């Protein structure tokens, strides 16, 4: 459970005037079960569009997406996938706990079980004690954790993350990386995430897909063969990051 | 919910510019008292030079008011009017919210009904009162209908406009959780339109309460509007003043004791401007 494959995916966005914008060209991507795959590329190279296509929010114009080996059109188990957006999208009128509960409400989970799982997940992301805080009362890092908890509470087998930590300062980001790896170990989902920080990609991912812009196509797929946990300051990580940066 | 007695907004229910507490709050309160005293004085002086049936003095009105409150029919008339306003308003709120959400959810419906709303908005409450009199005669429904026709378009328009301010990102978020449409309306649309709904409902209730009197003077044989008309016919000007005083007091109490605390509770999640 939890694999994602893209085969020859292309996408054009219509424009008000002129030719449609060619955003993705013939993109192939493989995220096997329980893997961590990063997509890196310049701004506008179509990284978010890939995640939107995988999440079923945007329809590809050509090619095929397979989820757990099933073509997306025939896929049924959409609630086993969650999507953490580039912005945190916390609902301002809900407390942290209520925001986390949101995903479970859609799935029709009963109140008692919801309460239990929300508390559990808040603890998992280190937010016990902030359950009743409203988003405007939380720091940026804490808001990211709430958004992460909301994506985890349904216990997904596929987690999509779009530059989840790009707005956090470096020390908190490193801490979040550790937490994500710990949670990934615990829950065993497949992680497909976007970043434009190559160090982040190297620290987290088994495999990094490098996208070239206009139109976005896969320039290189690099396997990162380093043992976890990876020290972001180690020479191996620096070397991998340098190689990746070279192909960007 | 406890009210801050130094907060002028708590006393009048209206937001005031210098926010609460502090020496500024006391100064404003003192100035307002002074204004009230000046008005009372002017009223008193003016009443000396006019016959009582044109302008009764404050003391005479106070006396009339005390008698009115003590009279057996007072609470009944007040209750009857209140009931009509509340029923008309509640119907308006339910219909306004449901139709507003429906028009907001479908662009075709919205475009189709836009002119209807414009037409309804241009018809004055008095015309609704006359139609109501023709259709319902001297019954509760005349007043209820007029309140409804006044309040409903206002609420509907606000809810409909409110649906356009719904954040598409939140709807997309709900979509990634495969949230059913009904739940999206309930969990994204409703909370978004609640603040504008609340202010328009407040406005609509005020309008409704005011036009109910017009409706009652035309088409009722009980209620405050009917009593006002009686007093006018009998040239009991002090009675008219006494009823007016009652209504103003009631509306202020409603604001301060129910609406303001309710608003504070409902919108706790909002960060106040000026708060750090
Ligand atoms: N819904 C849309 N309609 C039209 N054009 C779009 C849409 N979504 C994205 N685009 C365009 O597609 C291109 C790729 O966008 P995308 O958001 O996928 O880039 P990205 O790689 O995520 O960039 P960033 O790193 O800045 O987030 C951009 O030029 C963008 O303007
Ligand atoms: Mg993006």
């Amino acid at each position: 459970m939890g694999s994602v494959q893209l085969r020859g995916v292309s996408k054009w966005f219509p424009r008000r005037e002129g030719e449609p914008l060619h955003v993705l060209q013939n993109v192939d991507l493989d995220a096997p079960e329980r893997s961590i795959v990063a997509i890196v590329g310049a701004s506008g190279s179509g990284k978010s569009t890939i995640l939107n296509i995988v999440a079923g929010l945007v329809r590809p114009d050509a090619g095929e997406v397979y989820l757990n080996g099933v073509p997306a059109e025939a896929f049924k188990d959409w609630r086993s996938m969650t999507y953490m957006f580039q912005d945190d999208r916390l609902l301002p009128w809900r407390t942290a706990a209520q925001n986390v509960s949101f995903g479970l409400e859609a799935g029709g989970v009963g109140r008692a079980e919801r309460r239990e799982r929300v508390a559990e997940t808040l603890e998992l992301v280190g937010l016990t004690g902030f359950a009743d805080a409203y988003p405007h009362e939380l720091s940026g890092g804490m808001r990211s954790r709430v958004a992460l908890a909301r994506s985890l509470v349904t216990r997904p087998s596929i987690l999509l993350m779009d530059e989840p930590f790009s707005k956090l300062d470096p020390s908190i980001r490193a801490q979040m990386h550790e937490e994500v790896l710990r949670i990934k170990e615990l829950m065993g989902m497949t992680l497909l995430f976007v970043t434009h920080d190559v160090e982040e990609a190297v620290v987290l991912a088994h495999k990094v897909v490098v996208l070239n812009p206009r139109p976005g196509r896969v320039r290189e797929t690099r396997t990162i063969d380093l043992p976890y946990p990876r020290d972001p300051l180690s020479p191996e990580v620096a070397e991998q990051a340098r190689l990746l940066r070279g192909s960007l | 919910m406890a009210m801050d007695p130094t907060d002028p907004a708590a006393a009048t229910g209206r937001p005031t510019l210098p926010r609460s507490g502090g020496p500024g709050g006391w100064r404003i309160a003192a100035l307002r008292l002074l204004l009230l005293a000046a008005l009372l004085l002017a009223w008193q002086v003016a009443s000396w030079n006019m016959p009582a049936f044109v302008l009764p003095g404050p003391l005479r009105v106070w006396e009339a008011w005390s008698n009115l409150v003590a009279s057996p029919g007072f609470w009944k008339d007040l209750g009857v009017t209140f009931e009509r306003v509340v029923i008309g308003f509640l119907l308006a709120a339910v219909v306004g919210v449901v139709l507003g959400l429906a028009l907001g959810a479908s662009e075709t419906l919205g475009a189709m009904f836009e002119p209807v709303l414009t037409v309804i908005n241009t018809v004055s409450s008095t015309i609704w009162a006359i139609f109501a009199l023709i259709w319902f005669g001297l019954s509760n429904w005349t007043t209820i209908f007029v309140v409804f026709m006044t309040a409903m378009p206002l609420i509907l328009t606000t809810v409909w406009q409110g649906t356009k301010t719904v954040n598409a990102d939140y709807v997309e978020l709900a979509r990634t959780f495969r949230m059913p449409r009904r739940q999206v309306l309930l969990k994204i649309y409703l909370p978004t339109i609640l603040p504008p709904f609340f202010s328009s409902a407040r406005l609509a209730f005020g309008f409704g309460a005011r036009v109910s009197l017009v409706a009652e003077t035309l088409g009722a044989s009980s209620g405050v509007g009917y009593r006002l008309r009686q007093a006018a016919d009998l040239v009991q000007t002090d009675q008219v003043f006494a009823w007016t005083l009652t209504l103003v007091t009631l509306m202020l109490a409603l604001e301060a004791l129910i609406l303001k605390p309710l608003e504070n509770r409902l919108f706790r999640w909002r960060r106040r401007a000026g708060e750090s």
Side-chain angles (χ1 to χ4, degrees), chain A residues 55-57 78-79 81-83 85 87 89-94 102-103 105-106 134 136 150, chain B residues 168-170 172-180 183 187-189 191-192 268-271 275:
Chain A
L57 298 174
W78 286 102
R79 291 210 173 102
M81 173 164 70
T82 54
Y83 188 178
F85 290 94
D87 47 356
R89 296 200 190 177
L90 300 183
L91 304 175
W93 56 82
R94 285 179 171 235
F102 188 74
E105 290 165 25
Y134 284 97
H136 77 261
R150 181 180 57 194
Chain B
D169 288 347
Y170 297 156
E172 196 179 57
L173 172 79
R175 211 141 70 81
T176 67
F177 286 111
R178 266 67 197 178
M179 189 172 259
Q183 268 193 51
K187 294 179 181 205
I188 307 285
Y189 279 74
T192 305
R268 251 176 331 173
W269 56 270
R270 280 209 275 194
R271 192 172 53 145
E275 206 175 89

